[in-house]
């Protein structure tokens, strides 16, 4: 059974660093992209970016470029989203998700997100 | 970025009603549109991809149509478990933007 299990809720102060995780199981982790999404309180979903654990191909939304870093450790099937200096505006629920097709990331190659993690709530407050 | 708008933003309906949600793209996106369902405390669920293909395991009362810039998600007979928020997402070009969502509530 394919599963994406995300790390638990975090409460941080502005300026602190943070790394949240998304562990994949039940499939070949290295062969599928992992996408990250943000949902700010009371708002809709925003696409943060996508990365391929197998070849480290990474694509960020311009809104998030330079604000977060996506990475993965394929030896333990975990993808990460990290911040070096959190802001209050980073407070949100973050989801990871996996596309339906190996190596697919866009609509033309089956990159639709069919497995999602349960979400990690990040709260940044002084 | 390709902008997606959804209408209505809120929909109040009864069990058994036929409901439709529209998603419009600021640029043509061919058929590269997905619909997701989100319920509080649960992970989002892929309902429709390629604008009209039903994801495996999704009830047939859900259907999708459209191409280019205008798309529709239809629920033919609303069931109690369908009260949720629905989002569209385009996967034509980066960033793969989402619509603002449509909340379907019980009348």
């Amino acid at each position: 059974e394919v599963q994406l299990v995300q790390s638990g809720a975090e409460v941080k102060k502005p300026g602190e660093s943070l790394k949240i995780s998304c562990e994949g199981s039940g499939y070949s982790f290295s062969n599928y992209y992992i996408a990250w999404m943000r949902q700010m309180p009371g708002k809709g979903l925003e696409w943060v970016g996508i990365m391929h654990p197998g070849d480290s191909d990474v694509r960020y939304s311009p809104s998030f470029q330079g604000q977060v870093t996506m990475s993965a450790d394929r030896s333990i099937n975990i993808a990460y989203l990290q911040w070096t200096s959190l802001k209050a505006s980073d407070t949100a629920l973050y989801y990871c998700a996996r596309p339906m097709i190996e190596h697919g990331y866009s609509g033309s190659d089956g990159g639709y997100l069919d497995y999602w993690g349960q979400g990690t709530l990040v709260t940044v407050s002084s | 970025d390709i902008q997606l708008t959804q209408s209505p933003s809120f929909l109040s309906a009864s069990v058994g009603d036929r409901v439709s949600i529209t998603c419009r793209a600021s640029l043509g996106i061919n058929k590269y549109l997905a619909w997701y369902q989100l319920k509080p405390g649960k992970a989002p669920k892929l309902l429709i991809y390629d604008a009209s293909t039903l994801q495996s395991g999704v009830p047939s009362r859900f259907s999708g149509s459209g191409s280019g810039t205008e798309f529709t998600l239809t629920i033919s007979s609303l069931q109690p478990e369908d009260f949720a928020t629905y989002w569209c997402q385009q996967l034509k070009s980066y960033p793969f933007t989402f619509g603002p969502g449509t909340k379907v509530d019980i009348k």
Side-chain angles (χ1 to χ4, degrees):
Chain A
E1 179 195 5
V2 173
Q3 281 193 306
L4 294 174
V5 178
Q6 296 185 233
S7 49
E10 301 273 3
V11 179
K12 292 288 191 178
K13 291 182 172 16
E16 292 185 331
S17 63
L18 176 64
K19 197 175 196 178
I20 63 174
S21 66
C22 170
E23 181 176 5
S25 62
Y27 71 99
S28 298
F29 183 78
S30 294
N31 290 352
Y32 288 80
Y33 280 83
I34 290 285
W36 288 93
M37 274 64 60
R38 180 176 81 175
Q39 186 177 22
M40 298 175 75
K43 302 294 185 183
L45 290 168
E46 298 171 273
W47 190 80
V48 175
I50 196 165
M51 75 154 299
H52 195 281
D55 62 14
S56 298
D57 180 33
V58 180
R59 301 162 197 247
Y60 293 94
S61 165
S63 299
F64 291 89
Q65 179 83 47
Q67 307 304 309
V68 297
T69 302
M70 295 181 290
S71 63
D73 184 341
R74 59 188 181 182
S75 69
I76 54 174
N77 292 355
I78 296 181
Y80 301 100
L81 182 66
Q82 68 180 88
W83 296 258
T84 56
S85 182
L86 286 160
K87 309 180 191 68
S89 57
D90 293 318
T91 295
L93 183 61
Y94 292 86
Y95 290 104
C96 64
R98 194 208 78 169
M100 59 197 306
I101 301 291
E102 280 191 354
H103 310 297
Y105 59 89
S106 69
S108 60
D109 55 18
Y112 300 100
L113 303 173
D114 66 343
Y115 288 97
W116 292 65
Q118 81 277 19
T120 295
L121 181 62
V122 174
T123 303
V124 184
S125 174
S126 53
Chain B
D1 298 3
I2 294 176
Q3 308 299 319
L4 298 180
T5 58
Q6 285 182 236
S7 59
S9 55
F10 180 83
L11 191 161
S12 185
S14 301
V15 172
D17 284 352
R18 179 183 180 89
V19 300
S20 293
I21 300 167
T22 297
C23 177
R24 291 187 175 86
S26 58
L27 293 172
I29 58 172
N30 298 330
K31 62 176 181 177
Y32 302 127
L33 187 99
W35 289 96
Y36 299 93
Q37 178 193 65
L38 180 59
K39 296 181 182 180
K42 290 198 160 188
K45 178 181 179 181
L46 175 64
L47 301 174
I48 301 280
Y49 64 94
D50 281 346
S52 61
T53 302
L54 195 67
Q55 170 67 341
S56 175
V58 174
S60 59
R61 63 180 179 273
F62 290 92
S63 64
S65 63
S67 67
T69 61
E70 187 156 332
F71 303 84
T72 302
L73 173 71
T74 299
I75 309 172
S76 60
S77 178
L78 203 62
Q79 297 302 300
E81 59 269 29
D82 301 336
F83 293 97
T85 301
Y86 294 85
W87 270 287
C88 55
Q89 184 198 18
Q90 64 84 17
L91 286 91
K92 174 68 167 67
S93 61
Y94 292 122
F96 295 150
T97 44
F98 290 86
T102 295
K103 185 174 182 181
V104 178
D105 209 348
I106 302 172
K107 184 183 284 185

